[in-house]
Amino acid sequence: MKKDILGIQFDDVTLDEAAQVGREILESDSFHYVVTPNPEFILAAETDLEFRNILNQADLVLPDGIGVVHSAKILGTPLKGRVPGIDFASRMLEILNETGGRLFLLGAKPGVAEMAGENILAQHPNITLCGTQDGYFTDELEVVRKVADAKPDLLFVCLGAPKQEKWMSRWGVLTGAKLAIGLGGALDVFAGTVHRAPEIWQKMGMEWAYRLAREPKRIVRMARLPLVLSRAAEQRMFHKKQDGSL
Ligand code: UDP
């Protein structure tokens, strides 16, 4: 079931439900893409309509960020919970390992995708790592060709938003992959160059604070995030007024 959170149509699913959809996609024979919007995406999509449409046309729109979950609650349309993109990606790797499928890693600084690939293969030895490519390329078509020649089933696209979503929407179908997932900084985490917050922080919905403490430069990006909550509150009040329930 879809729920509209400030213009983005999120799928109201648990991680298990999302993984089931992902499994069906991996068993299919056509291209699909999955997006993992956080509050930064919501703000960017307010003014970038192309980005908003691309998000809303994805096969799965996963709420990646506690700010999305809080906004949904404020709007009176609560979501089942947060589904971090990296957790969904890990579940897709488990499924790919069962079937011995092919994985392509696209994005991050030179060398990172290779390191991520090594770590992934150490845990999932049945996966074939069919290719890697850093995210700082200039010739788009050359990269599309490289991915298509590698014949991946699963493709991680880690170029940051909205670049990765625009890339998937524009080129994804030409790659021949069954499933592409836009995953931001996930390759840095798989490579071990960036660490996720300990589980207790994740459970408390404080992963963002951990990340901010490790990367203080993110304050500029994060400073705008409370805006999403106030937008949700404004929208809720506006609708209540229209209903006459305030
Ligand atoms: N990146 C890239 N190409 C670019 C810009 C960014 O490959 O042109 C990578 C960057 O190296 C990082 C990821 O995209 O690995 C974006 O990380 P960010 O922290 O922005 O994503 P988040 O995890 O916040 O979604």
Side-chain angles (χ1 to χ4, degrees):
M1 185 194 169
K2 293 278 187 187
K3 285 194 175 162
D4 185 302
I5 314 291
L6 301 169
I8 307 299
Q9 309 293 319
F10 281 91
D11 283 283
D12 186 17
V13 287
T14 62
L15 176 60
D16 283 344
E17 289 165 344
Q20 182 52 34
V21 176
R23 180 184 286 279
E24 284 159 22
I25 290 175
L26 281 172
E27 286 165 0
S28 76
D29 49 18
S30 54
F31 175 73
H32 300 75
Y33 68 93
V34 170
V35 294
T36 58
N38 61 30
E40 278 184 74
F41 287 50
I42 296 179
L43 292 177
E46 274 185 354
T47 50
D48 184 343
L49 293 187
E50 182 199 2
F51 183 38
R52 190 198 296 176
N53 288 336
I54 289 171
L55 292 176
N56 286 338
Q57 282 160 17
D59 294 277
L60 266 180
V61 183
L62 301 176
D64 180 357
I66 197 67
V68 178
V69 174
H70 286 325
S71 301
K73 224 180 262 171
I74 292 171
L75 285 164
T77 50
L79 293 165
K80 288 175 181 167
R82 181 173 168 234
V83 182
I86 192 145
D87 291 345
F88 177 72
S90 299
R91 295 290 284 269
M92 293 305 98
L93 291 174
E94 284 168 20
I95 294 170
L96 203 68
N97 192 50
E98 285 169 21
T99 55
R102 298 168 70 81
L103 172 69
F104 194 105
L105 302 176
L106 169 60
K109 297 202 175 114
V112 173
E114 288 79 358
M115 271 200 283
E118 263 178 44
N119 292 341
I120 289 170
L121 290 190
Q123 281 193 10
H124 305 290
N126 292 331
I127 290 179
T128 300
L129 183 64
C130 61
T132 55
Q133 165 66 47
D134 71 71
Y136 296 86
F137 50 87
T138 46
D139 189 337
E140 297 231 328
L141 272 180
E142 193 184 309
V143 171
V144 176
R145 231 175 274 129
K146 179 174 174 183
V147 179
D149 287 347
K151 297 191 179 4
D153 298 301
L154 178 61
L155 169 61
F156 289 174
V157 186
C158 303
L159 307 171
K163 197 171 172 187
Q164 61 202 10
E165 288 74 22
K166 290 183 178 179
W167 194 93
M168 290 192 293
S169 159
R170 194 166 299 152
W171 304 114
V173 78
L174 296 179
T175 66
K178 288 166 190 149
L179 174 59
I181 318 173
L183 285 169
L187 287 183
D188 300 290
V189 176
F190 282 119
T193 53
V194 168
H195 295 281
R196 265 190 102 181
E199 218 171 309
I200 179 86
W201 288 63
Q202 295 178 32
K203 284 200 176 127
M204 288 192 308
M206 296 295 286
E207 198 164 6
W208 61 273
Y210 182 88
R211 199 154 180 203
L212 182 59
R214 306 279 299 217
E215 298 170 62
K217 274 198 225 142
R218 293 184 83 88
I219 188 71
V220 181
R221 282 167 69 172
M222 285 188 174
R224 292 183 69 230
L225 301 190
L227 262 183
V228 170
L229 301 180
S230 69
R231 293 266 207 288
E234 271 166 32
Q235 189 168 312
R236 180 76 191 266
M237 300 223 294
F238 178 74
H239 283 304
K240 276 195 172 170
K241 267 189 197 151
Q242 284 200 323
D243 291 352
S245 55
L246 197 72

